[in-house]
Amino acid sequence: MNSYHLDHLQYLETEAIHIMREVAAEFERPALLFSGGKDSISLLRLAEKAFRPSDIPMPLLNIDTGHHFPELNEFRDRRAKELGAKLIVRKVEDAIGKGIAVPRPGEISRNQLQIPTLLAAVEEFQFDCLIGGARRDEEKARAKERFFSFRDSFGQWDPKNQRPEIWNIYNARVNPGEHMRVFPLSNWTEMDVWEYIKREKLQVPTIYFSHQRKCVRRNGQWLPVSDLLPPKDKEPVKELVVRVRTIGDIISTGMVESPADSVDDIIAEIAAARVTERGSRADDKASEAAMEDRKKAGYF
Amino acid sequence: MPHTPHPVEILRLNTCGSVDDGKSTLIGRLLYDSKNLMEDQLEALARSADITGGGQINLANLTDGLRAEREQGITIDVAYRFFATPKRKFIVADTPGHVQYTRNMVTGASAANLSIVLVDARQGVTEQTRRHTYLAALLGIPHLVIAINKMDLVDWSEDRFLEIRDEIESFIPKLDVFRDVKFIPLSALNGDNVVTSSKNTSWYQGPALLGHLETVHIASDWNLNAFRFPVQWVNRPNNPRDPKLHDFRGLSGQIAGGIARQGQTIIVLPAGLKTAIKEIWTYDGVLAEAFCPQSATLCLADDIDVSRGDMIVGLENLPGCGSDLHARICWMHQRPLQPGRKFFFKHTTQTAQAVVTGLESRINMATFEPEPEPPALATNDIGVIRLKISKPIVFDGYSTNRLTGSFILIEQGTNATVAAGMLSAPTEAVKPEYTDFAI
């Protein structure tokens, strides 16, 4: 590679920075979705690169399902403070209380209930754009999504009627009540994200690294024992050395048995992995079109 | 996924061809044979094979992600796939072959280094083959691969391969130039010449598809000749904690051509103000030089009025500037384009209004000849138009620079993206009346 050539991470970085600046320039009230997970941690570094020495010109938004890993929320709050960014948290619990989100009878998962909570936050703050950390390599429905993904006034995605996206010219126009979801990491893979975390020396929540945890075996996965997910009667509980590969809610995130306790170890582990990242997420396995259906309804 | 600890290049490619030419199968095969598929993806494939495929695994199901596609057995939108080998990383846009989905092909191919056009060896060259090859040329894709697929169904006939190659070569010279064109005989279904060379094509001396993708020379695909910097965002810290930043005024953007150097004299267009680059600021420190397509924040030597949409250029190879423009477009909307209509015009980082003042011609996709003065352009038509823009635009011809020579048209009201445009080279370079701040 000559000196006037970018390597893959530099290429992905400049593409993402360009997208972030388009958002800042074209939208009146954008927000950046920040969960404290590895993808949104990378997004925040990209925001620093796009906007420093100025402040990041948009608030951070997180939808708290009430089922988050405590380590994640702690990291989220600390990182927002370090960056001097404004963090807005809206809770599924409160949305249920107000009748904005209504659980189905017997429904324990908060996954679906994030949707109305998120859309209510969009309405409350009149956000016209949300930047998210979704990647096209995660899942088949995401693989078809644009960088600038239009949402109608109901927050819905229409996969058959997406705006053509040509060169690096993004059509950011929305009418009142509509909004845009923008995904600067669209072209990044799981490996790219970890390589970027390594290159940028970014901190990540401790649950990504190997630790001891009590787990129960359900549907072919090791789920972490917690107050929300106590062992059933006579269900065997195992103390395992595990880490998370992808973070969802604490009641549905499969723990991976792993000795990886550094970013280098994680990169080596992913390189040798035989299953994809979302292979450990129960929410995606529900049906062949699980993600497509959630996205159409306004999911992240 | 195969991983290499040292940095590698990214190659962006797209696949196109007629329905059932086997595009999705080819991508599935590339991923499968290069060991980029995971167990749960294979499991999911097996699951859908049990449900819909009568038990047979269908590699096309890897890319045909949406429910409607699986039901109809077609690809309805651009799907992006990622794979890696120790030599390169690849971003693949799988673009559909239906006539009505040319807009998706344009979406998938516009950023590509390389296009793969699939041809069914039994069918030979179809109108779709010609259209996709033409579009790849129109979009200025530097590298072209013609993958002649289903060779197993024509008994691996070299004669058939040569016949198709000759037919394509006979119309390629009519198209704008590709940097290189490679013809590869293969079977996506069986994996011949996809990742490994086939025993069935002893008459073929070239590389398998993957070997070509790993080695084709892409280092000079970006324009490094003429400095172009569309100002994207004015970077002025509010109440900076660091007192040194009180006077910081940076112009943030992505370099769209050439190289910027600290100390270099530049002109801000269209105003024509001349000054120098004082500093190339980045989060990772100040740079002595930066090049296309890096993102950077430029601080100028003089405090002049610059805003989003302005273009900073070097003194050499000046761009054109004007409000009467001439362009080829791909029309992508169901409502036909008629002259006189008004649109939003987005070019680099600025949006203006534009009126289509004339339709010069429509390209006949069978002959690639222009038909003069059509009454309208329909969906998926390619045409040459004239535009009047509400303000002067600083631009290059698309064949010189894909980033400063391209634009989109947006319908007012619906905000739909209705056209992709490629500007003709300016008839003369801008002659700014310098206001020289250095004096």
Side-chain angles (χ1 to χ4, degrees):
Chain A
M1 256 167 273
N2 65 37
S3 57
Y4 295 129
H5 207 69
L6 300 179
D7 71 33
H8 69 282
L9 290 180
Q10 292 168 326
Y11 173 83
L12 294 169
E13 181 184 71
T14 187
E15 178 181 73
I17 290 172
H18 175 254
I19 287 165
M20 291 244 179
R21 288 173 175 163
E22 281 299 284
V23 169
E26 294 248 356
F27 291 95
E28 277 170 37
R29 278 176 301 277
L32 191 151
L33 294 167
F34 179 58
S35 66
K38 66 183 191 313
D39 300 314
S40 61
I41 289 168
S42 300
L43 269 188
L44 273 191
R45 170 50 51 90
L46 291 162
E48 289 183 274
K49 293 209 177 190
F51 304 120
R52 294 296 187 220
S54 292
D55 292 335
I56 297 170
M58 58 192 82
L60 313 182
L61 173 65
N62 182 238
I63 301 304
D64 193 333
T65 60
H67 290 179
H68 283 180
F69 282 85
E71 294 92 336
L72 198 69
N73 282 4
E74 191 187 293
F75 183 92
R76 173 196 72 193
D77 296 345
R78 179 157 53 83
R79 189 76 186 117
K81 210 168 162 192
E82 280 168 11
L83 290 169
K86 182 183 174 190
L87 173 67
I88 299 169
V89 176
R90 284 294 172 269
K91 296 183 171 166
V92 168
E93 200 65 54
D94 296 339
I96 293 172
K98 287 181 198 157
I100 295 167
V102 183
R104 288 187 298 238
E107 183 177 34
I108 298 160
S109 165
R110 293 282 170 86
N111 195 289
Q112 290 284 341
L113 300 171
Q114 291 179 89
I115 300 172
T117 315
L118 176 69
L119 295 179
V122 168
E123 209 166 299
E124 178 185 353
F125 294 97
Q126 297 287 298
F127 289 131
D128 51 5
C129 177
L130 299 177
I131 297 181
R135 310 188 321 266
R136 287 171 176 158
D137 79 322
E138 286 180 83
E139 204 280 328
K140 287 201 289 189
R142 290 209 197 282
K144 309 229 153 174
E145 192 155 13
R146 309 284 198 246
F147 282 107
F148 280 59
S149 188
F150 175 75
R151 299 300 147 104
D152 66 15
S153 57
F154 292 93
Q156 299 177 109
W157 180 57
D158 180 0
K160 282 191 180 176
N161 194 24
Q162 300 194 77
R163 293 177 181 176
E165 209 161 75
I166 311 133
W167 303 291
N168 63 349
I169 310 176
Y170 303 106
N171 176 354
R173 303 190 80 90
V174 292
N175 289 320
E178 302 167 342
H179 72 279
M180 198 69 85
R181 302 282 173 89
V182 174
F183 304 109
L185 304 182
S186 289
N187 281 335
W188 297 49
T189 63
E190 182 189 17
M191 179 64 89
D192 296 328
V193 168
W194 281 109
E195 287 182 326
Y196 194 67
I197 285 168
K198 177 183 155 100
R199 186 177 286 188
E200 294 293 320
K201 302 185 177 66
L202 295 172
Q203 297 257 313
V204 295
T206 51
I207 48 175
Y208 280 114
F209 300 116
S210 179
H211 58 281
Q212 286 218 331
R213 198 179 274 268
K214 288 192 174 66
C215 296
V216 289
R217 189 81 181 162
R218 291 189 193 165
N219 296 325
Q221 290 190 313
W222 289 111
L223 296 180
V225 171
S226 66
D227 293 346
L228 291 165
L229 193 116
K232 292 174 191 159
D233 197 25
K234 290 187 188 149
E235 186 176 35
V237 175
K238 266 192 130 172
E239 179 105 17
L240 298 173
V241 175
V242 292
R243 67 179 203 89
V244 293
R245 187 165 166 198
T246 175
I247 305 179
D249 275 353
I250 198 163
I251 61 165
S252 60
T253 298
M255 308 299 288
V256 189
E257 290 193 75
S258 164
D261 63 2
S262 69
V263 173
D264 280 325
D265 286 355
I266 290 173
I267 289 173
E269 191 176 284
I270 297 166
R274 293 305 307 145
V275 294
T276 64
E277 185 180 353
R278 282 194 170 253
S280 56
R281 294 270 289 259
D283 44 359
D284 289 339
K285 283 198 172 165
S287 86
E288 172 85 327
M291 179 65 89
E292 185 180 346
D293 291 342
R294 275 180 295 156
K295 284 186 73 64
K296 280 182 182 165
Y299 191 67
F300 301 102
Chain B
M1 186 177 282
H3 174 248
T4 178
H6 59 82
V8 292
E9 287 176 314
I10 283 186
L11 176 90
R12 301 190 61 144
L13 64 138
N14 79 300
T15 54
C16 39
S18 307
V19 184
D20 297 331
D21 279 347
K23 296 175 302 294
S24 299
T25 309
L26 179 66
I27 293 173
R29 176 58 68 182
L30 267 176
L31 298 177
Y32 187 80
D33 285 359
S34 61
K35 305 194 170 33
N36 277 276
L37 280 187
M38 301 290 177
E39 281 167 12
D40 55 320
Q41 290 173 305
L42 292 170
E43 256 175 50
L45 273 184
R47 239 186 350 257
S48 70
D50 286 343
I51 298 162
T52 57
Q56 201 179 12
I57 285 191
N58 180 358
L59 284 172
N61 272 352
L62 278 172
T63 57
D64 295 344
L66 303 178
R67 195 204 312 261
E69 296 172 283
R70 284 190 302 276
E71 284 166 4
Q72 295 167 32
I74 54 162
T75 309
I76 58 168
D77 205 282
V78 185
Y80 294 90
R81 296 293 149 192
F82 304 85
F83 71 102
T85 71
K87 292 188 179 139
R88 270 188 184 158
K89 292 208 165 208
F90 299 93
I91 301 176
V92 186
D94 182 15
T95 45
H98 312 285
V99 178
Q100 67 269 37
Y101 287 126
T102 294
R103 65 178 214 159
N104 294 328
M105 149 110 199
V106 172
T107 295
S110 66
N113 304 89
L114 180 144
S115 279
I116 301 175
V117 173
L118 272 110
V119 178
D120 183 327
R122 298 167 304 171
Q123 310 279 334
V125 176
T126 61
E127 193 196 327
Q128 290 297 309
T129 313
R130 300 167 71 91
R131 175 181 282 259
H132 292 143
T133 309
Y134 179 83
L135 282 174
L138 182 77
L139 289 164
I141 315 287
H143 314 279
L144 180 69
V145 170
I146 305 284
I148 301 178
N149 190 25
K150 308 194 184 182
M151 284 298 295
D152 52 320
L153 301 181
V154 294
D155 294 328
W156 302 101
S157 160
E158 184 181 13
D159 288 346
R160 182 63 180 143
F161 174 75
L162 293 175
E163 193 183 345
I164 292 169
R165 192 186 74 183
D166 290 349
E167 191 179 346
I168 290 174
E169 278 181 341
S170 73
F171 68 79
I172 277 181
K174 282 198 214 167
L175 308 170
D176 294 313
V177 283
F178 292 100
R179 252 177 226 161
D180 49 75
V181 180
K182 185 73 105 191
F183 292 84
I184 303 178
L186 52 84
S187 164
L189 195 63
N190 303 316
D192 296 83
N193 286 335
V194 177
V195 168
T196 50
S197 291
S198 171
K199 291 192 294 281
N200 295 311
T201 51
S202 51
W203 43 266
Y204 170 72
Q205 304 304 318
L209 176 62
L210 184 64
H212 180 62
L213 299 180
E214 285 181 326
T215 52
V216 61
H217 180 76
I218 55 169
S220 44
D221 285 1
W222 294 101
N223 181 331
L224 292 175
N225 297 324
F227 177 54
R228 299 286 184 265
F229 187 83
V231 175
Q232 210 184 351
W233 191 71
V234 177
N235 196 328
R236 285 194 95 153
N238 278 329
N239 307 314
R241 282 170 284 271
D242 180 351
K244 276 186 298 198
L245 293 176
H246 269 298
D247 298 322
F248 187 94
R249 187 167 192 278
L251 305 167
S252 296
Q254 185 177 28
I255 299 173
I259 300 160
R261 295 189 174 87
Q262 188 177 6
Q264 173 189 356
T265 305
I266 53 91
I267 309 172
V268 181
L269 294 172
L273 306 171
K274 196 172 169 191
T275 179
I277 296 174
K278 186 175 73 183
E279 194 171 88
I280 303 171
W281 198 94
T282 73
Y283 179 84
D284 300 300
V286 171
L287 302 177
E289 57 179 17
F291 55 94
C292 174
Q294 280 184 310
S295 287
T297 297
L298 304 184
C299 301
L300 303 182
D302 298 287
D303 190 13
I304 53 180
D305 182 26
V306 185
S307 52
R308 174 169 165 89
D310 288 344
M311 179 100 74
I312 297 176
V313 304
L315 298 186
E316 265 137 53
N317 298 315
L318 288 172
C321 180
S323 52
D324 289 302
L325 303 179
H326 186 262
R328 272 163 206 258
I329 62 164
C330 173
W331 185 253
M332 300 188 285
H333 203 258
Q334 294 87 334
R335 264 188 292 286
L337 169 65
Q338 280 149 346
R341 280 188 66 193
K342 206 193 228 178
F343 299 94
F344 292 117
F345 169 92
K346 188 167 182 188
H347 168 261
T348 64
T349 56
Q350 68 186 325
T351 305
Q353 295 203 69
V355 177
V356 175
T357 49
L359 305 184
E360 272 188 20
S361 62
R362 172 187 174 276
I363 306 296
N364 178 320
M365 292 307 283
T367 61
F368 305 124
E369 298 297 335
E371 297 168 350
E373 295 181 20
L377 292 180
T379 322
N380 299 307
D381 273 352
I382 310 289
V384 179
I385 66 166
R386 288 185 307 274
L387 290 153
K388 174 88 182 164
I389 316 294
S390 58
K391 62 179 176 184
I393 299 295
V394 177
F395 69 99
D396 291 289
Y398 184 78
S399 57
T400 312
N401 189 319
R402 280 163 90 175
L403 299 178
T404 54
S406 53
F407 66 89
I408 58 172
L409 294 180
I410 299 168
E411 186 173 67
Q412 303 191 341
T414 64
N415 294 324
T417 302
V418 291
M422 289 143 277
L423 292 164
S424 307
T427 44
E428 58 176 351
V430 63
K431 293 195 191 79
E433 307 270 324
Y434 296 136
T435 310
D436 201 333
F437 274 80
I439 296 167

